[in-house]
Amino acid sequence: MNFITNILNSLGWYPTVFILMLLESTVVPVPSEFVVTPAAYHAASGSLNVFLVVLFATLGADIGASINYFVALYVGRPVVYKFANSKWGKMCLLNQEKVERSEKYFDDHGIAATLTGRFVPVIRHLISIPAGLARMNYGKFLLFTTIGAGGWHSVLAALGWYLHAIVPEDQLNDKISEYAEYIKIAIFALIAIAIIYFGVKAWMKKKQKNEAKRH
């Protein structure tokens, strides 16, 4: 992933973080951990502001996700699937199965999927498509996307800041790959816990309502 670091160095960190995270939130397979984490790594040395790194990354994600949302909203499922199965879709590492997986995730988790989905690999940059297909309220979509993307970028920024103290720059990408796996496992665990918690809470609330009706 040195080529991404080279782009960041040559074009300027803030605009490049913005552009790459915009692309990552459309259908272009840009790995956010190799963009935001190195930027935060440099911020720890004082050359950048880590809060601006997160801000520009999140703004880029918002715009990229909005592009997906409105395209899906106006062109519909058949065209989305046709693109996913096309040569251009395959160049973006996209296929119908991935789109269907993101739709299932959205169907299973409701509108909150636009928030939690930002933490899930593969789902992250496609979750805005089923939101558009379902005609989700755009204000809620943008709010949940901002919270989810901001949370994910904050995790990556914290990792970059931490790695600055223990890893030389020439070993950074290897360490990012190593720690990214741990982060994914932890996030999956947290999402699973949240789903169980809210599921149980909804079930108990429904049970209480049914018991109240009986009395």
Side-chain angles (χ1 to χ4, degrees), residues 76-136:
R77 186 173 285 102
V79 177
V80 170
Y81 282 1
K82 186 175 181 180
F83 174 79
N85 292 322
S86 70
K87 179 179 70 175
W88 293 104
K90 288 180 173 56
M91 286 176 64
C92 294
L93 304 182
L94 194 61
N95 56 49
Q96 184 172 327
E97 181 184 354
K98 289 181 179 179
V99 178
E100 290 175 342
R101 196 186 313 168
S102 67
E103 285 196 83
K104 185 178 185 307
Y105 187 90
F106 185 86
D107 292 339
D108 290 345
H109 301 90
I111 60 175
T114 54
L115 190 159
T116 60
R118 301 300 306 189
F119 292 88
V120 182
V122 179
I123 299 296
R124 181 181 306 122
H125 70 293
L126 298 178
I127 194 63
S128 49
I129 293 176
L133 293 175
R135 297 184 176 275
M136 177 181 176

Side-chain angles (χ1 to χ4, degrees), residues 137-175:
N137 176 273
Y138 179 68
K140 288 184 178 179
F141 166 79
L142 187 60
L143 174 63
F144 286 7
T145 297
T146 301
I147 295 171
W152 173 240
H153 295 147
S154 296
V155 170
L156 296 180
L159 174 62
W161 192 278
Y162 166 73
L163 290 177
H164 182 268
I166 63 170
V167 177
E169 189 169 2
D170 60 349
Q171 297 176 21
L172 179 60
N173 288 340
D174 292 335
K175 280 296 178 183

Side-chain angles (χ1 to χ4, degrees), residues 44-101:
S45 69
S47 57
L48 296 170
N49 183 306
V50 71
F51 296 106
L52 289 180
V53 169
V54 173
L55 175 63
F56 277 94
T58 303
L59 288 175
D62 281 345
I63 293 176
S66 295
I67 292 171
N68 272 8
Y69 172 91
F70 285 112
V71 168
L73 178 69
Y74 289 113
V75 306
R77 186 173 285 102
V79 177
V80 170
Y81 282 1
K82 186 175 181 180
F83 174 79
N85 292 322
S86 70
K87 179 179 70 175
W88 293 104
K90 288 180 173 56
M91 286 176 64
C92 294
L93 304 182
L94 194 61
N95 56 49
Q96 184 172 327
E97 181 184 354
K98 289 181 179 179
V99 178
E100 290 175 342
R101 196 186 313 168

Side-chain angles (χ1 to χ4, degrees), residues 188-203:
F188 276 127
L190 289 172
I191 290 174
I193 292 169
I195 291 170
I196 293 170
Y197 170 77
F198 287 111
V200 170
K201 190 175 180 181
W203 177 78

